[in-house]
Amino acid sequence: MSEATVRAQIVTRLQAVSTVPDATVYGYMPWVNTWSNFIEKFKDPASAQLHGWTVRRVSETRIRDAAQHELRRYVFRVEGWYGLSGDGSSEITWQAIIDDVFNELEEYLTLSNTVELMQPLTLDILDHHALEGHLSHHAVITIIAEERVRVIPT
């Protein structure tokens, strides 16, 4: 496979989460020149609710063995935002979304046979952000996925 195939499968799994259908999911970080433009990338046009996810590779390790195989270990950062409500109900919703994301990814430990192994998921950050005057819930999940590929000598 490839890093792009693994990343695409993570995006597909995120989009399959029942509590994420209104969310925008990017297989990359959609960099823009202002926080306002960044927020607009994740807003639902109908409800103006902020809800979005990004998936990006943050590191990779490759180890080649004598049998012309290479172990590739990809570390992905899955980052999510969800608009904060004044009555506290968004906290309960956000916690449920995080649980649903974990459950979906754990159900597909090989990411539909894209990888040989996926390490246990890690919730690295669960906090709040102030983005251009908009308060939002924020989470960072780390996914470590490994694949073994045959390397043809040149």
Side-chain angles (χ1 to χ4, degrees), residues 8 29 37 39 53 79 109 131 134 142:
M29 179 59 92
N37 290 342
I39 290 167
W53 294 86
E79 199 161 359
L109 284 178
L131 301 170
H134 297 284
T142 298

Side-chain angles (χ1 to χ4, degrees), residues 47-147:
S47 68
Q49 171 69 34
L50 177 69
H51 189 187
W53 294 86
T54 61
V55 178
R56 59 191 170 126
R57 173 180 50 180
V58 293
S59 70
E60 179 178 330
T61 304
R62 294 182 180 203
I63 303 167
R64 189 173 289 192
D65 65 17
Q68 298 178 350
H69 289 93
E70 189 172 73
L71 175 68
R72 296 180 182 173
R73 179 176 294 143
Y74 307 111
V75 179
F76 292 94
R77 179 181 176 122
V78 177
E79 199 161 359
W81 295 268
Y82 187 76
L84 206 80
S85 68
D87 64 3
S89 63
S90 62
E91 178 68 24
I92 295 165
T93 302
W94 182 237
Q95 294 291 340
I97 290 170
I98 297 298
D99 288 343
D100 291 347
V101 167
F102 262 74
N103 292 339
E104 178 70 21
L105 290 168
E106 287 173 341
E107 187 175 334
Y108 292 89
L109 284 178
T110 63
L111 297 172
S112 299
N113 296 319
T114 306
V115 296
E116 289 182 25
L117 173 69
M118 193 168 78
Q119 302 282 337
L121 303 174
T122 305
L123 179 61
D124 295 313
I125 297 173
L126 188 60
D127 63 5
H128 302 92
H129 266 192
L131 301 170
E132 193 77 15
H134 297 284
L135 292 176
S136 70
H137 300 280
H138 177 241
V140 175
I141 299 168
T142 298
I143 297 175
I144 300 173
E146 296 178 353
E147 69 172 345

